[in-house]
Amino acid sequence: MYRSRLDGKLDDITLEFLSSISDDSVIAQYDILGSQAHTLMLFENKIISKQEAAKILHALEKIKKENISEKSDAEDIHELIESLVIKKAGKDAGGKMHTARSRNDQVALDIRMKIRDDINTVCFCLNQTIETLIDLAAKNEHVIMPLYTHMQQAQVGLFSHFLLAYADALFRDLDRFYVAYGRVNESPLGAGPVGGTSIPIDRQHTAKLLGFKGLIENSIDATTSRDFVAEYLGNASILMTNLSRMAEDFIIWSTSEFSFIELADKFTSTSSVMPQKKNPDVLELIRGKTSQVIGYQMAVLSNLKGLPSGYNRDLQQIKVSIWPTSKILVSSLLVVNSLLKTMKVNEKKLRQAIDGGYSISLDIAEALVRKGIPFRNAHKIVGNLVQIASNSKKSLLALSADAVKSVIHNNEIDAKELHKIIQSVTPESSLETRKSQGSSGKHEQQRMIDNRKRKVQAYMGGTNKRTNEVRSALEVLNHNVMLLIKNMN
Ligand code: ARG
């Protein structure tokens, strides 16, 4: 439709190569809404007549309901929709729809509208998953387990503490998306191809009709920039990386060797050949899909880094990284949420795991510190105790009075007293004495749970408000469109 300056039609292979039609179905509805807002604005600013506007809007309403993905020789959804409008509304009216805009501001608009919706959906799903983690933490406040560093037992902890740690990481993800929304929710419409237009359009008006908070003002910036896409995909990569770590923990914990948790059957797969298998495929796919999302982010950044300012067709390829990313984010969060709700926590196994190790060592050393012994000396004494115990495959509790005595070199503590301290320190007492803010201490769990519950409510309220703002704006737009169409005859 646009090739009057050029000789010859595109051959099929070249058209297929150039066309983004197959990637554009995702934004077709946004493109129509954008065109309706633009048309209303053209009419309200006396750039086109009421009759012309009504014809265009009517045609767009019909296209909304049609399946327009069929084969066409349009290069993209913008050309296809415009050609359909011209077909339905006639050249005289339909030919005016593209006044004072360009596909360059149009495609930027469509992508922003799509990501805006996706961010709200992701925030909603994140809120739900975090809420599940907090509920699960509340149920597991008393479940004692070893905490690991280097995959070696480090300290005694609580399962709730772990769950709250994931919740806090996901809160940061939630906040990253939540804040990015403000940078996405700005309208590029009316920027034209790159430098604006002489036609007296009202950019603020189209922005408002489409529910945007304001404008991407500079027309070069509005049509060139895709940093909001890079930001969205960056946030997506970080979120997936967090989910992937959680998946890895759960995969290890669901092995027969650990058996800390058991996944519900419906979140596992079996083997075509080994009948006994119960594999954590869903969690493995969270890891696998994380790699994919990181790849999409790389694709976008490497697309952008060498482009000159102004629209360049390379930008078309960015879209293919966005749509699947959103799909992966939402499906991952939904699956993780249900998996958490149905997983069994093996309280006994978690508690037993501590008995085989020496994760109360630091607690003993701190008990010595409380007796006035310098930490470095306390560390040495307990280190020696663990060495003796481990060499004789005993627990610290089972060490004889003589063994205990052998680690004291300069009378800094009485052997009997040390023996008593060793006997008194248990995983349970360790958690009673743990006091620092954010620690595994029992009292800290309850405080963090209450605090995080309030945080979820705040984000949920904000996300709902934003979703409603967009919905109401689009309802008003629809109302205005219908009014004009009704008056047509
Ligand atoms: N199909 C293009 C894209 O997705 C739309 C913009 C085309 N603009 C242009 N001047 N060729 O990015």
Side-chain angles (χ1 to χ4, degrees):
M1 186 168 69
Y2 307 140
R3 297 178 66 84
S4 58
R5 181 240 180 278
L6 304 169
D7 270 338
K9 256 181 89 181
L10 291 168
D11 64 54
D12 284 354
I13 291 176
T14 313
L15 176 62
E16 164 103 48
F17 180 81
L18 270 175
S19 172
S20 63
I21 281 278
S22 58
D23 305 317
D24 287 347
S25 53
V26 176
I27 47 169
Q29 291 299 320
Y30 297 116
D31 204 70
I32 293 171
L33 292 172
S35 294
Q36 291 189 322
H38 183 69
T39 304
L40 276 173
M41 181 277 296
L42 290 178
F43 158 62
E44 279 161 27
N45 289 276
K46 303 190 176 52
I47 299 162
I48 61 174
S49 71
K50 195 171 187 177
Q51 193 65 14
E52 288 161 343
K55 280 187 181 165
I56 297 170
L57 292 171
H58 190 236
L60 285 166
E61 268 311 296
K62 278 203 207 144
I63 297 167
K64 245 189 203 175
K65 289 165 198 121
E66 285 170 12
N67 181 8
I68 53 169
S69 55
E70 83 261 22
K71 211 174 153 14
S72 87
D73 50 8
E75 282 182 36
D76 55 33
I77 200 76
H78 323 293
E79 183 180 1
L80 176 58
I81 291 175
E82 190 188 348
S83 67
L84 290 172
V85 166
I86 290 173
K87 212 155 132 201
K88 290 180 199 296
K91 238 192 187 126
D92 288 345
K96 291 194 174 177
M97 181 177 74
H98 208 57
T99 309
R101 72 167 185 184
S102 152
R103 282 184 295 165
N104 299 349
D105 52 346
Q106 237 182 305
V107 70
L109 172 81
D110 297 353
I111 297 174
R112 281 175 183 273
M113 288 180 78
K114 164 73 176 144
I115 295 187
R116 179 173 72 171
D117 278 353
D118 288 356
I119 289 184
N120 280 336
T121 309
V122 168
C123 285
F124 183 76
C125 293
L126 262 167
N127 257 315
Q128 275 195 329
T129 308
I130 294 173
E131 205 168 26
T132 303
L133 282 166
I134 298 171
D135 288 346
L136 209 54
K139 280 193 203 130
N140 288 281
E141 266 180 284
H142 60 282
V143 176
I144 299 176
M145 70 177 291
L147 305 180
Y148 295 84
T149 65
H150 311 267
M151 279 297 284
Q152 304 287 323
Q153 290 197 6
Q155 283 185 276
V156 174
L158 287 168
F159 194 57
S160 56
H161 197 201
F162 242 112
L163 296 164
L164 290 172
Y166 299 132
D168 279 2
L170 294 189
F171 265 128
R172 284 191 296 278
D173 286 311
L174 174 56
D175 195 63
R176 272 186 278 272
F177 283 106
Y178 198 81
V179 171
Y181 184 88
R183 282 183 281 276
V184 174
N185 194 23
E186 294 179 318
S187 172
L189 195 60
V194 62
T197 173
S198 64
I199 314 276
I201 58 168
D202 181 350
R203 291 190 64 195
Q204 298 284 355
H205 187 53
T206 44
K208 194 163 171 239
L209 282 173
L210 294 167
F212 285 100
K213 265 273 139 71
L215 298 181
I216 282 280
E217 191 175 35
N218 185 312
S219 62
I220 303 171
D221 183 37
T223 48
T224 299
S225 299
R226 296 291 186 273
D227 49 11
F228 68 100
V229 177
E231 186 174 6
Y232 177 64
L233 293 187
N235 293 348
S237 304
I238 300 172
L239 162 59
M240 286 306 294
T241 306
N242 280 330
L243 290 182
S244 190
R245 172 165 58 83
M246 188 199 295
E248 173 63 7
D249 278 337
F250 288 171
I251 288 168
I252 295 173
W253 293 348
S254 64
T255 56
S256 50
E257 286 76 5
F258 271 81
S259 297
F260 284 180
I261 56 164
E262 191 182 343
L263 304 176
D265 284 359
K266 58 179 180 174
F267 293 104
T268 60
S269 300
T270 188
S271 155
S272 62
V273 53
M274 297 166 285
Q276 86 282 13
K277 294 282 269 173
K278 180 172 172 181
N279 295 328
D281 292 34
V282 165
L283 294 171
E284 290 166 329
L285 279 168
I286 298 279
R287 282 191 317 214
K289 287 173 193 251
T290 300
S291 317
Q292 209 180 332
V293 170
I294 292 170
Y296 288 134
Q297 188 200 0
M298 288 306 140
V300 167
L301 288 174
S302 67
N303 182 308
L304 296 178
K305 68 145 188 67
L307 288 187
S309 291
Y311 179 84
N312 297 274
R313 195 65 176 260
D314 316 41
L315 291 175
Q316 179 166 290
Q317 290 312 109
I318 278 186
K319 291 180 291 192
V320 298
S321 291
I322 307 171
W323 320 152
T325 296
S326 294
K327 221 171 150 187
I328 289 176
L329 293 185
V330 172
S331 60
S332 300
L333 286 166
L334 291 178
V335 157
V336 165
N337 188 35
S338 334
L339 181 142
L340 285 166
K341 284 191 167 169
T342 53
M343 115 189 153
K344 267 201 215 123
V345 180
N346 194 344
E347 197 178 328
K348 258 200 195 135
K349 269 276 186 183
L350 284 153
R351 176 63 184 78
Q352 277 165 5
I354 290 172
D355 294 336
Y358 299 99
S359 48
I360 51 165
S361 301
L362 179 56
D363 302 291
I364 299 176
E366 287 186 354
L368 297 180
V369 167
R370 289 198 294 273
K371 295 271 173 217
I373 298 177
F375 176 74
R376 189 49 57 220
N377 299 0
H379 181 275
K380 191 173 169 202
I381 291 171
V382 182
N384 287 338
L385 286 171
V386 172
Q387 191 180 39
I388 297 169
S390 150
N391 285 344
S392 51
K393 308 231 172 327
K394 281 184 182 159
S395 70
L396 289 170
L397 263 177
L399 285 177
S400 67
D402 280 350
V404 171
K405 201 172 171 192
S406 72
V407 303
I408 303 168
H409 296 301
N410 45 7
N411 293 329
E412 48 205 339
I413 185 158
D414 175 66
K416 270 199 193 132
E417 198 178 359
L418 177 56
H419 202 230
K420 222 165 100 194
I421 288 175
I422 297 169
Q423 301 301 311
S424 70
V425 176
T426 62
E428 285 72 14
S429 76
S430 151
L431 292 167
E432 293 297 338
T433 50
R434 212 75 67 73
K435 293 268 185 288
S436 60
Q437 186 173 349
S439 68
S440 288
K442 285 195 168 159
H443 51 293
E444 275 302 278
Q445 307 307 302
Q446 191 53 52
R447 188 191 60 75
M448 288 195 275
I449 287 170
D450 291 345
N451 171 280
R452 288 359 177 224
K453 273 188 184 160
R454 283 195 293 277
K455 226 169 136 178
V456 166
Q457 289 317 316
Y459 279 110
M460 200 61 119
T463 306
N464 283 337
K465 184 166 173 269
R466 285 171 167 181
T467 312
N468 289 336
E469 277 167 5
V470 172
R471 189 183 305 134
S472 322
L474 296 182
E475 274 166 14
V476 171
L477 170 67
N478 189 51
H479 178 76
N480 290 345
V481 166
M482 289 308 161
L483 267 185
L484 255 189
I485 295 178
K486 231 202 261 157
N487 292 337
M488 201 167 127
N489 309 310

